[in-house]
Amino acid sequence: MALAFDEYGRPFIIIKEQEQKNRLRANDGATILEQMDVDNQIAKLMVELSRSQDYEIGDGTTGVVVMAGALLEQAERLLERGIHPIRIAEGYEMASRIAVDHLEHISQKFEFSLTSIESLVQVCMTTLSSKIVNRCKRSLAEIAVKAVLAIADLERKDVNLDLIKVEGKVGGKLEDTELINGIIVDKDMSHPQMPKRIENAKIAILTCPFEPPKPKTKHKVDIDTVEKFQTLRLQEQKYFDDMVQKCKDVGATLVICQWGFDDEANHLLMHRNLPAVRWVGGVELELIAIATGGRIVPRFQELTPEKLGKAGLVREKSFGTTKERMLYIEQCANSRAVTIFIRGGNKMMIEETKRSLHDALCVARNLIRNNSIVYGGGSAEISSSIAVETAADRYPGVEQYAIRSFADALDAIPMALAENSGLPPIDTLTAVKSQQIKENNPYCGIDCNDVGTNDMCEQNVFETLIGKQQQILLATQVVKMILKIDDVITPNEF
């Protein structure tokens, strides 16, 4: 594993896999940990921790590992003093409750609507600030917010991210990334002479192949004369004719098929002016069906006009000089399925953009579910640290030491932020901490972008409350579990 620096001097990790000789470039915590080959049992727990945060919240995967690492570091010092691990675990549990309650106390409700999305965009921009794609964070944040609002059920506060398809194509630049209110399929028309643009399309979505039926049993056909061969050929042609006619009769103007069809069927479809797309994957078929309001038809006999999907425009678009084509299905009857189409200079950039956008989409979804926010830049951690430190005196017994250590561990995240921003970490942290206490302002954080103010409220740096709470709770749970492990015994390899 090697640490490298990009053109801006920011570190990223390159993981070399011995067998495959491929390299990963990312600064997404969960991705890096997933790809690392770890043997240590405790390190495996850290990987699991990062994955849990990714599944539950989608963002904050690096922070949760930093937090757990800081708690373990503090626990080691307490163990050296002779404090029992169970008492440390109990102290950590008390402190995490204090911190979570305090976050609830300093959080703010955050209003947004379908028309005013600026506040949602600001939160997504905070998430994208730490990613490689941060130079385009404004446009990407807007795309993420619009995509989530397009598929969100605001009454039930529910967002199904499966309805957002993220597609990437090498070429162009990151600024060309766009949101399409419809579906993009990485396929083209099955015959080059078929029309490339269909307006007010009625789409037949088929999972049955365009070919004559095959008997279930083993069979053998003996053809000994030309007449018999002609009869067989005519019969096959009749099957194809009937299939194409069936599609035409119900009013279909485009056929999307999960399976392939041979040249004869393709030729017939072209002659009958029925454009068709073949080899479309099952997941894409489902999304097309959701977007166009159509039904997936497993047999030609079941095809009826009511089962056709409707789209205002279906067009084929080619890219660059490579003649690569994709199919755009837009202006759908049901707009609750959208596609984010990413462009980038190379495959690695597109993959990293996909991961960054996933985090932004998750943050927007979390805000729709629970619209409470805390301020970022380490301000929430510093404020919680002060609250936990103050509360420690109320607890008699050894747990008081563990609670104080928890407060010190909370300072690890703002300190890391200051260090990564090229600021002197200890001086910056102590200055911000004293400012928070003097002004009684829990929104003072690390001025990473050198704007000139420490007030994160003015800088519009937000984070979701549930994301922050989940970080503290998950990190505490894992550290408690590790503290209760006395020894790891691995079975001998026979």
Side-chain angles (χ1 to χ4, degrees), residues 411-449:
D411 291 340
I413 289 178
M415 203 177 272
L417 271 175
E419 201 172 332
N420 291 346
S421 307
L423 303 167
I426 296 171
D427 297 0
T428 311
L429 177 65
T430 47
V432 172
K433 215 169 191 178
S434 69
Q435 188 183 345
Q436 274 210 17
I437 294 169
K438 266 184 208 161
E439 298 176 9
N440 194 20
N441 178 4
Y443 310 137
C444 294
I446 310 293
D447 182 15
C448 299
N449 297 331

Side-chain angles (χ1 to χ4, degrees), residues 73-318:
E73 205 177 314
Q74 294 293 335
E76 192 178 17
R77 291 177 193 165
L78 295 173
L79 290 168
E80 282 167 4
R81 285 179 166 187
I83 299 173
H84 195 277
I86 298 291
R87 305 305 292 274
I88 299 172
E90 284 170 1
Y92 276 1
E93 178 62 35
M94 292 171 186
S96 73
R97 278 205 296 270
I98 297 164
V100 167
D101 291 344
H102 180 71
L103 284 173
E104 188 86 51
H105 174 65
I106 62 167
S107 70
Q108 290 187 351
K109 285 288 178 200
F110 161 95
E111 298 308 322
F112 64 89
S113 68
L114 288 171
T115 46
S116 65
I117 59 167
E118 183 56 35
S119 42
L120 275 173
V121 172
Q122 292 287 353
V123 182
C124 289
M125 279 169 66
T126 305
T127 303
L128 294 169
S129 297
S130 63
K131 312 288 184 202
I132 291 173
V133 298
N134 66 353
R135 68 192 172 87
C136 298
K137 63 182 180 184
R138 173 86 210 181
S139 59
L140 289 176
E142 283 179 7
I143 285 172
V145 170
K146 285 174 184 169
V148 169
L149 286 175
I151 60 149
D153 185 343
L154 293 177
E155 283 178 18
R156 287 173 49 222
K157 295 194 173 182
D158 183 44
V159 179
N160 180 6
L161 287 184
D162 291 339
L163 295 173
I164 300 175
K165 187 181 180 212
V166 183
E167 191 73 60
K169 196 83 169 167
V170 173
K173 53 187 189 292
L174 194 57
E175 286 84 349
D176 296 338
T177 299
E178 57 182 337
L179 174 70
I180 286 127
N181 285 318
I183 304 294
I184 292 186
V185 186
D186 197 358
K187 301 282 173 210
D188 54 358
M189 295 296 181
S190 60
H191 196 289
Q193 288 176 314
M194 285 176 177
K196 304 284 183 266
R197 182 185 174 93
I198 306 160
E199 293 184 2
N200 298 324
K202 292 183 177 176
I203 305 168
I205 306 164
L206 304 174
T207 54
C208 45
F210 252 95
E211 55 187 33
K214 293 184 175 67
K216 294 275 191 291
T217 54
K218 284 189 177 179
H219 62 288
K220 184 179 167 196
V221 180
D222 284 324
I223 297 173
D224 45 17
T225 64
V226 176
E227 287 77 16
K228 283 184 183 174
F229 181 77
Q230 287 283 19
T231 313
L232 184 69
R233 198 184 74 80
L234 286 167
Q235 184 62 37
E236 263 198 14
Q237 200 171 347
K238 187 174 180 304
Y239 270 124
F240 286 134
D241 254 344
D242 291 348
M243 288 171 182
V244 175
Q245 196 54 46
K246 183 75 182 156
C247 295
K248 294 283 280 184
D249 288 346
V250 294
T253 54
L254 173 67
V255 174
I256 295 180
C257 189
Q258 188 173 12
W259 303 102
F261 29 84
D262 61 17
D263 293 341
E264 191 167 355
N266 207 2
H267 178 76
L268 259 170
L269 285 162
M270 197 272 292
H271 270 288
R272 293 289 191 84
N273 290 329
L274 187 58
V277 186
R278 55 185 165 183
W279 301 120
V280 178
V283 177
E284 288 166 330
L285 271 186
E286 283 179 23
L287 282 171
I288 292 168
I290 291 168
T292 60
R295 302 289 288 274
I296 296 173
V297 180
R299 280 187 291 276
F300 279 98
Q301 293 80 5
E302 295 180 16
L303 198 56
T304 59
E306 299 79 57
K307 291 183 179 176
L308 297 180
K310 293 177 182 63
L313 178 64
V314 177
R315 60 191 170 99
E316 189 180 289
K317 188 175 175 184
S318 54

Side-chain angles (χ1 to χ4, degrees), residues 43-60:
K44 284 181 182 171
L45 285 175
M46 288 293 181
V47 176
E48 286 289 327
L49 168 68
S50 167
R51 198 181 297 151
S52 303
Q53 178 78 8
D54 200 25
Y55 284 167
E56 192 64 32
I57 303 296
D59 187 33

